[in-house]
Amino acid sequence: MAPSFDNEVPTSPIKMSKHATPHPFAPLSGAEITNTASIIRKYWPESTDLQFRVITLREPDKSTVIPFLDAENRGESYPTSLARKAFVVYYLRNTNKLHEAVVDLSEQKVEYNVRLGPNVHANLDGETILGSEKIALNDERVKAALKKLQLPEGAVVVCDPWIYGSDGINDDDLLIQCFLYMRNVDHSTNEDSNHYAHPLPISPVVDVETGKVIRIDYLPTGADNTIKEPGPWPVHPGNEYVASAQTLRTDLKPLRVVQPEGASFTVTEQGTSRVLEWQKWSFRVGFNQREGMVLHNVRYDNRSLFYRLSLSDMNIPYADSRQPFSRKSAFDLGDAGAGIMANNLALGCDCLGSIHYLSFDLSSDKGEPMNMPNVVCIHEQDGGIGWKHTNYRTGRASVVRNRELVLQSIITVANYEYILMFVFNQAGELHYEVRATGILSTQPIDEGVDVPFGTVVHPGVLAPHHQHIFSLRIDPMLDGHSNRLVYSEAHAMPRSADWNPSGTGYTVSETLLTHSGGYDLNTDTNRTFKIQNASIHNPINSKPIAYKIMAPPFQKILSDKDSFNYKRAEFSDKNIYAVRYHDHELFAGGLYTNQSRGGTGVRSWADRKEGIVDEDLVVFVQFGINHVPRVEDFPVMPCEVIRVGLKPVNFFDRNPAIDVPPSEQRVNQSVELSERHRQGGAEGVVEGGEGEPTPLEVAVTERPSSSLTILARASNHFLSPFPSAITSSTLSLTLIALPTLLTDDFIQRSLLFSWHADVRICPTLAEVTARSDMIGPELVIEEEATTNPPLTAAKKAAISHGQWPNK
């Protein structure tokens, strides 16, 4: 039995470090948010009512930060402090007058303030979203339309506000499309009841500036565009997802992640900036309203890898081309924000094990700090085997586990959840993972109707097909800031009498990308993109150091090139966009995505055709899924997992995980579940003359699926020669012995044939005897004392390399 760690107190991973001035990458503090709002207010007449949409850090220009980081990485202090600035987006409340400003907090002044032009709208905030719900449900025309549906008495209608989208038709003003649902009539007072199982055919449109419903859209519910006047609406059974509505399984036993000595990472808090160190990795963790988690100055073994990493954008276009569904094309980061929508993560639910949480301050619509508790969880997890090799000649296995460090944030966007993770391992590899879950966005459909652009997932409920397209922004600095992008491809060699007479050969070639542009994967040629530093070469093969991008192929945006969807989602048509770095070009879909028109994102930046060879390069990696819903995705969707990898190529001089300690049972404390823990039996004494089978051989032959415990107090003649029947049996053995009793033959055969043995090494004969009192009723073959042979070199090596007591 593994030891209990109930009373162990893990050590804290937190360190505190005092700095007189904030780090250039430190998120704004609550005091800085308040100060920024105050400076902006003073810019206007005293009675002006401002509605803030964004108050966030304006990161310093890279040219000013690089000398600071270089000094910091050398352990030196930088003599000059960098200006601390805030980026602000705000409205004059209840107007369409949108402004963008930069506040210099170091100088306590507005650096610039501009009013933005037509068709530029800010992200929505919580007050606006909740306010539009009330506006829609309290509108008299909406109430009259709902009355025509003749819903059951006591029915509760729920409103889901959606970003209006763009189609160029009367959409210059900031609008919200509201979709209406009804709660399950059997649970109408339960706010957690799944209203997405009861969509209604009425959709009010709210003008944000006037705060009024400007029209009501009636939804098509058949197989075509036909719109019907609202009439009596059929009520279908509910379909709930909460645990209290289910008959839960009773055969699931607890699985606990235990780290009795605490976590292996450390977090150094420097004001609002956190430095995380783990297994040769180090980086700063930031957080903002739009991107959520942001990593800066990512290093491995004190070598620079990435200046900045973040999820830049996402787009979810829907397949139903009928009005108003054709405008459903969400930009969840730009339209709302991954930071502002982040969940307060619960201990033991969203993350398992020894967890450390990070909290941050964001801004409310009133310019006040709004604490976002536990929005990032940090923990370690077991990622399976990291590497392994068994020498078949000696049977000796070398194996290490793949420990991973996870930084996780979860966002809720109305019906949908996204689990967003940075995952690091001990081999210098970094992954970005998205898990899509939550509830499908649903719409009503008539009974018996089937359409090719959606799936009926419940009576009267259509889940339309849709795409999830994500863009990961990678700002590399592989041993410096002069990097390039290449791709390699594998091609079959032409058959020739000299070089390829059998027609089996193939070669790998490399292509340098010279100018900014959009590029695609090609699975037929195994096209793989690599970020290189051509000025530094690997000492083993003289090739440039690099990291390759392991991006899964996905179907690009299906909206045609003349559509608003395509023009707005500038990142959605290519696997890779490569551009030259420009300060503050962070968001692949453009800075303002709400009802946008396009022309301000990464496709436009790539069209500059700037040189990117040995320049300050930025790479946007796109990945995603075409979600064709299943019935199994309702009432709540099992996680759909998508992962992008960044993996070293000729960056190190050997496997960087070669120094990870081997996997050992004394550390892992695994417990074998087998028959031997329940097996009855008797005792016996090993006898038998030369040429006669020993009792062990008899036991193995007669009980090939049994469990056996051997007390080996002194001799080992019953272990050598090794019983041949063991190699073909499923017998499970527990051997309690002195180290000297492990014969070379036993070691080699048990390893070579994977004979399952739980070997317990006892340092003294007295302990062997003591162990005999704890065996229980299992079959025991007990050997009388004779002379022990000396330890051989093979036994010493097996013991010293951890083969015993691990096999």
Side-chain angles (χ1 to χ4, degrees), residues 197-388:
H198 308 278
L200 301 176
I202 297 170
S203 180
V205 176
V206 173
D207 186 306
V208 173
E209 180 184 352
T210 64
K212 296 180 179 180
V213 173
I214 60 171
R215 72 171 188 272
I216 298 175
D217 291 338
Y218 295 100
L219 307 181
T221 58
D224 55 23
N225 289 321
T226 302
I227 302 295
K228 296 177 290 188
E229 280 294 315
W233 191 248
V235 177
H236 298 289
N239 197 337
E240 305 294 350
Y241 63 89
V242 294
S244 59
Q246 318 302 325
T247 301
L248 300 178
R249 305 178 189 191
T250 59
D251 59 349
L252 190 63
K253 297 181 180 180
L255 189 157
R256 299 188 178 103
V257 179
V258 179
Q259 292 181 274
E261 299 177 17
S264 301
F265 60 83
T266 61
V267 179
T268 303
E269 297 187 350
Q270 299 175 355
T272 61
S273 182
R274 277 82 163 192
V275 178
L276 202 154
E277 295 173 289
W278 176 83
Q279 293 292 290
K280 302 184 182 181
W281 289 97
S282 68
F283 49 87
R284 287 187 180 270
V285 184
F287 194 86
N288 63 50
Q289 175 270 338
R290 179 162 178 161
E291 298 162 289
M293 290 186 294
V294 180
L295 305 187
H296 288 100
N297 197 23
V298 180
R299 303 172 66 81
Y300 185 89
D301 203 12
N302 207 32
R303 295 176 67 180
S304 62
L305 298 180
F306 305 103
Y307 179 82
R308 192 182 195 275
L309 294 170
S310 70
L311 183 65
S312 172
D313 234 320
M314 70 168 78
N315 177 231
I316 304 93
Y318 280 74
D320 192 341
S321 62
R322 303 173 298 176
Q323 290 285 354
F325 305 120
S326 60
R327 290 193 306 274
K328 284 183 71 173
S329 184
F331 292 79
D332 289 336
L333 270 62
D335 294 347
I340 202 70
M341 296 183 296
N343 292 185
N344 182 343
L345 303 176
L347 189 66
C349 299
D350 298 306
C351 310
L352 297 180
S354 297
I355 311 299
H356 178 64
Y357 293 102
L358 301 181
S359 302
F360 298 88
D361 285 328
L362 299 179
S363 171
S364 74
D365 67 292
K366 297 176 178 61
E368 299 169 346
M370 181 170 56
N371 184 249
M372 304 290 292
N374 302 342
V375 288
V376 175
C377 70
I378 306 171
H379 63 100
E380 295 174 285
Q381 66 184 19
D382 180 76
I385 290 177
W387 60 263
K388 179 177 181 176

Side-chain angles (χ1 to χ4, degrees), residues 147-168:
K147 188 174 182 180
K148 294 178 182 179
L149 299 181
Q150 299 180 24
L151 301 177
E153 184 178 352
V156 175
V157 176
V158 180
C159 175
D160 263 23
W162 265 71
I163 298 294
Y164 187 79
S166 301
D167 60 6

Side-chain angles (χ1 to χ4, degrees), residues 415-429:
N415 55 296
Y416 239 96
E417 265 78 17
Y418 296 99
I419 303 167
L420 310 173
M421 288 183 278
F422 286 103
V423 183
F424 300 81
N425 71 17
Q426 295 160 300
E429 300 171 4

Side-chain angles (χ1 to χ4, degrees), residues 65-96:
V65 177
I66 289 175
F68 181 98
L69 290 183
D70 289 344
E72 182 179 65
N73 294 331
R74 293 192 301 267
E76 303 171 359
S77 60
Y78 192 63
T80 306
S81 61
L82 303 183
R84 188 82 169 151
K85 298 181 181 181
F87 178 75
V88 187
V89 178
Y90 66 96
Y91 281 100
L92 303 188
R93 195 178 292 273
N94 298 325
T95 76
N96 64 357

Side-chain angles (χ1 to χ4, degrees), residues 615-638:
E615 295 284 353
D616 195 354
L617 172 72
V618 178
V619 179
F620 292 81
V621 180
Q622 281 64 246
F623 57 103
I625 56 173
N626 187 345
H627 189 185
V628 177
R630 313 166 298 154
V631 172
E632 293 85 351
D633 289 331
F634 201 71
V636 67
M637 173 183 163

